[in-house]
Amino acid sequence: MWNTVFPYLLSGISVGGQYALIAIGYTLVYGILRLINFAHGDVFMVAGIVMVYMAASGLPLWLCIILDLVATSIIGFAIERVAYKPLRTAPRMSIMISAIGVSYTLQNLVLYITGGLNQIYPKIPWISDSIKIGSATTKVVTVVTPILTILLVVALVLLINHTKVGMAMRAVSKDFETSQLMGININGVISVTFVIGSFLAGVGSVLYFTNYTTVIQTSGAMPGLKAFVAAVFGGIGSVPGAVIGAFIIGIAENIIKGLDIILFKAGLTSGPMGLAIFSDAFTFALLIIILAVKPTGLFGEKSIDKV
Amino acid sequence: MSLLRVRDLRVNYGGIEALKGISFDVEKGQIVTLIGANGAGKSTTLRAISGLVPVKSGTITYDGNVIAGQQPQQIVSQGICMVPEGRRVFPNLTTYENLRIGAYLRKDDITADVEHVYQLFPRLKERSWQLAGTLSGGEQQMLAVGRALMMRPKILMMDEPSLGLAPLVIKSIFEIIQTLHDEGITILLVEQNANAALRIADYAFVLETGMLGMQGTGHKLLNDPGIKAAYLGSGA
Ligand SMILES: Nc1ncnc2c1ncn2[C@@H]1O[C@H](COP(=O)(O)OP(=O)(O)OP(=O)(O)O)[C@@H](O)[C@H]1O
Ligand SMILES: [Mg+2]
C-alpha cells in the first residue's frame, strides 16, 4: 500500500512546492495592493521561455539560471510600474482589468516569438538526473523542490518579520497614507513586493519546467490558477497560508492521479475507474467549497474586501 | 521669521473646494491650534502640509523653504511629523515596531528615543510586544503620539488627539502636549475640544468652511463671546 502511494505523495509534495513558490507572489501582491495579479502565472511562463532562449544562446546553464531569475524579477518590477502604478488611485476593477491585459500581452508576445510551438526546456544537470527513493524513481528536482521551497519561505518570513523593509511591507499593506507619514516610499515597497514575488515564481519555473520539460505560451495558466487557488485556500494575504495551501493541493491532486492504481492494489476496486481525470477538478471544487464555507481561507484576515 | 508659513492655500477634492485660500503662521516653539466645526477643513490643512493631498495653489514654507509639492517622505524627513486623525497605528505591528517605524528615516541609534517615549507613556512599555491593534483607544493614541516623536520632530501636527477618549486620558494627553512644548517642539494642534485646546495654545485660528475666521491668542479666543457660543458650548 505505502509503496504504491509513496511515489504519488512524493511528486505531490514536489508539485506543491512549485505551486507554493508561485502562490507567494499572489498572496504578497494581494496583501499589499488588494489586487489579484492575473499576470502572475504568465510571468512564471515567461521565466520558462527566457530560460529556453538563454540556454540556446550557449551560455553556461548556471549563469542562465541566475540571469533568468534577474530577468524575471525585472519583468515583475516593470509590469507593476507600467501597468499598475499609474492606476494607484483608480478603482480596484481598473487595475484588475489592467492585470488581465498584461496577462494576454505576455501570452501573445510569447506566441509571436515562439510561433506557438512547444519549447524544450534545457536539461539542467543534477536536478534532471533520476534517483530512486524507496519505491519511487524520480528526478532529483522532486526532492530538491520541497527543501528549496521551505528554505526560501523561511527566508521570506524572516525578511517580512525581522527586517526594516519587511516591517515597511507590513505597514504599507495596512495603510498607505500613514506609511507615507512615516517617510516610507510606498512605491518602492510595492516594487520590492513584486520583485520578490516574481523572483520566487522564477525559481518555481526552473523547478517546474525541469519536471515538465516543455514550455508554451499557455504554460502559466494551469499552475498559475492552481497557485491562486492555493493562496485563496490558505487565506490570501498570508504567506504561510499560501504555502500550506499549495502543498495540500499538490499532494491531493497527485494522490487523485494515482487513485485508480492505489485503490486497485489495495483490493478495493476490480479495475481502473478513470478517477485520475478528477485531479484538476478537485482543485476547483476545493476553491468553491472554501469560498462557500470559509471565504477567508485557513489563515486569512477576518476583514477582506470583496473583489 | 515664522517656522511654518502658509499663504493663500487652496485644496480641492474633485470639484469641492475644501480650503479656499487660507494664510497663517506658526511661530517656532509655540503651540498653535486650529479649531473649527466638522468639515471646516482642519484635517485637510494638516494633510496638505504633510504632502498627503496635493495643493492646488498657494505656498507652504518651512524654515524658509517651500515644501508644498514635495513628497510626504521629503516633508517628514525635515522634521514635520503628524499624529493623524483617528490614531492610525499599524494594527499588525507591535507597539515597539510602531515606534521603530516612526523612526523609519533615521539611520542612527533609536534606543534613547524609545526609552523617552516609554518614559512619557509607561503603559506603552508594558505593552511593547503587544500588537497595536489590540491596544485600547487611549493606548493607541499614546502610541500614535510616541510614534511621531520617534522622528524627533521640529513641528508636531496633531489631528484631534483627544477624540473618543475618557476625560482622564484627555487630561494626560494635554499634559503631554504641554511637556512636548516645554521640550521645545513646535505644535500645531487641531481640536474639537476647543476649550482645552485654547487653554494651552499660544495662538489660535478658527477655520470656517475652508476660510480663516477669527484669530488671536488662546486666552483672547477663550473669552470671546462669539467663540464661546459657537465652539465652547454653554458650559464654558
Ligand atoms: N478625500 C476626500 N474627498 C472628497 N472630499 C473630502 C475628502 N476629504 C475631505 N473632504 C471634504 O473636505 C471638507 C473638509 O474636510 P476635513 O476632513 O478637512 O474637515 P475637518 O475640519 O477635519 O472636519 P472634522 O472635524 O470632522 O474632522 C469636508 O467637506 C469633507 O467632506
Ligand atoms: Mg478632521
Side-chain angles (χ1 to χ4, degrees):
Chain A
M1 176 70 185
W2 171 246
N3 283 348
T4 330
V5 175
F6 181 65
Y8 292 103
L9 184 65
L10 195 61
S11 59
I13 292 171
S14 172
V15 173
Q18 288 149 17
Y19 290 163
L21 291 172
I22 312 174
I24 291 169
Y26 282 108
T27 219
L28 285 181
V29 166
Y30 183 88
I32 213 149
L33 285 185
R34 302 292 180 271
L35 162 74
I36 294 163
N37 182 11
F38 288 108
H40 191 57
D42 302 288
V43 169
F44 163 84
M45 174 276 294
V46 168
I49 291 291
V50 169
M51 184 67 188
V52 168
Y53 280 82
M54 207 99 80
S57 74
L59 288 172
L61 276 180
W62 64 266
L63 185 59
C64 290
I65 295 177
I66 294 172
L67 292 177
D68 185 33
L69 295 179
V70 171
T72 310
S73 306
I74 294 174
I75 290 167
F77 168 84
I79 288 173
E80 195 280 320
R81 284 290 153 122
V82 173
Y84 306 149
K85 182 170 173 254
L87 297 171
R88 197 75 86 221
T89 54
R92 186 95 30 88
M93 193 50 82
S94 314
I95 315 179
M96 209 83 95
I97 291 165
S98 186
I100 295 171
V102 173
S103 165
Y104 279 106
T105 308
L106 292 177
Q107 288 188 26
N108 285 331
L109 218 57
V110 170
L111 173 63
Y112 177 77
I113 294 169
T114 61
L117 299 173
N118 264 319
Q119 304 296 306
I120 306 296
Y121 201 75
K123 218 174 155 91
I124 300 166
W126 189 59
I127 61 168
S128 305
D129 296 349
S130 290
I131 55 162
K132 199 165 158 53
I133 308 164
S135 60
T137 306
T138 182
K139 288 180 181 172
V140 174
V141 69
T142 312
V143 187
V144 168
T145 300
I147 298 170
L148 189 59
T149 304
I150 299 296
L151 288 179
L152 287 171
V153 169
V154 168
L156 178 64
V157 170
L158 288 176
L159 176 103
I160 292 175
N161 288 328
H162 296 287
T163 66
K164 200 165 172 181
V165 66
M167 188 168 69
M169 285 168 71
R170 282 180 287 146
V172 173
S173 77
K174 280 293 173 203
D175 190 337
F176 274 21
E177 258 192 6
T178 310
S179 298
Q180 285 179 296
L181 285 179
M182 303 297 113
I184 297 169
N185 171 359
I186 56 168
N187 289 324
V189 170
I190 291 168
S191 289
V192 168
T193 308
F194 274 83
V195 165
I196 293 174
S198 311
F199 172 83
L200 293 176
V203 176
S205 89
V206 173
L207 302 169
Y208 182 89
F209 291 117
T210 293
N211 215 1
Y212 289 85
T213 66
T214 61
V215 197
I216 194 165
Q217 71 273 4
T218 51
S219 292
M222 229 1 151
L225 211 50
K226 299 265 177 69
F228 169 65
V229 175
V232 173
F233 181 55
I236 195 150
S238 153
V239 170
V243 173
I244 290 169
F247 276 114
I248 290 176
I249 287 177
I251 292 168
E253 172 181 298
N254 275 275
I255 296 284
I256 292 171
K257 273 186 191 156
L259 212 50
D260 277 343
I261 298 172
I262 295 167
L263 291 179
F264 179 68
K265 290 224 172 142
L268 295 171
T269 56
S270 51
M273 298 174 57
L275 294 173
I277 207 145
F278 291 111
S279 76
D280 284 346
F282 164 79
T283 308
F284 301 107
L286 187 67
L287 177 65
I288 293 167
I289 292 170
I290 197 81
L291 286 179
V293 177
K294 197 167 186 301
T296 54
L298 296 177
F299 301 93
E301 300 168 29
K302 265 155 250 119
S303 63
I304 282 195
D305 307 348
K306 295 221 161 58
V307 281
Chain B
M1 198 185 58
S2 10
L3 189 58
L4 186 73
R5 169 166 293 196
V6 175
R7 284 295 171 272
D8 202 26
L9 178 66
R10 284 168 194 275
V11 172
N12 280 17
Y13 291 115
I16 308 158
E17 223 182 7
L19 294 180
K20 303 166 183 163
I22 62 167
S23 304
F24 64 93
D25 287 327
V26 177
E27 301 298 332
K28 194 173 162 76
Q30 291 201 333
I31 299 179
V32 174
T33 185
L34 216 50
I35 59 173
N38 291 119
K42 305 179 298 294
S43 299
T44 304
T45 307
L46 298 195
R47 289 157 54 81
I49 296 170
S50 305
L52 288 178
V53 293
V55 168
K56 186 180 167 237
S57 68
T59 57
I60 303 171
T61 46
Y62 169 70
D63 218 0
N65 304 312
V66 176
I67 56 164
Q70 291 185 355
Q71 291 294 311
Q73 66 258 33
Q74 280 174 284
I75 293 171
V76 181
S77 71
Q78 298 167 62
I80 305 174
C81 299
M82 176 142 105
V83 181
E85 189 170 16
R87 299 152 200 160
R88 305 280 281 265
V89 296
F90 296 105
N92 54 338
L93 268 56
T94 63
T95 299
Y96 176 67
E97 284 177 324
N98 267 277
L99 294 180
R100 262 183 64 204
I101 210 158
Y104 188 77
L105 289 175
R106 282 179 51 187
K107 304 257 181 293
D108 53 337
D109 186 34
I110 61 165
T111 13
D113 300 77
V114 174
E115 264 322 302
H116 178 78
V117 171
Y118 284 161
Q119 244 163 34
L120 288 173
F121 306 107
R123 291 173 71 145
L124 293 183
K125 185 167 190 171
E126 298 158 22
R127 289 163 176 76
S128 109
W129 296 106
Q130 194 173 326
L131 286 181
T134 65
L135 296 175
S136 79
E139 289 160 356
Q140 290 190 5
Q141 187 63 62
M142 293 170 194
L143 182 55
V145 175
R147 183 180 64 180
L149 292 178
M150 293 299 294
M151 251 322 269
R152 297 199 179 152
K154 306 278 191 319
I155 294 191
L156 186 61
M157 301 193 289
M158 305 171 102
D159 197 344
E160 304 202 25
S162 73
L163 191 72
L165 301 182
L168 219 61
V169 185
I170 296 182
K171 191 161 165 279
S172 70
I173 290 279
F174 275 94
E175 279 166 14
I176 289 291
I177 295 174
Q178 192 65 54
T179 310
L180 299 176
H181 171 247
D182 295 343
E183 286 177 10
I185 301 173
T186 307
I187 289 166
L188 179 53
L189 174 68
V190 161
E191 261 300 336
Q192 288 288 341
N193 195 337
N195 210 334
L198 291 175
R199 265 179 223 287
I200 61 162
D202 294 300
Y203 206 78
F205 296 92
V206 179
L207 203 52
E208 291 164 353
T209 54
M211 285 185 290
L212 275 187
M214 268 191 86
Q215 55 175 282
T217 60
H219 183 74
K220 178 186 155 203
L221 266 59
L222 207 48
N223 294 308
D224 184 273
I227 299 287
K228 266 187 182 163
Y231 302 105
L232 301 179
S234 49

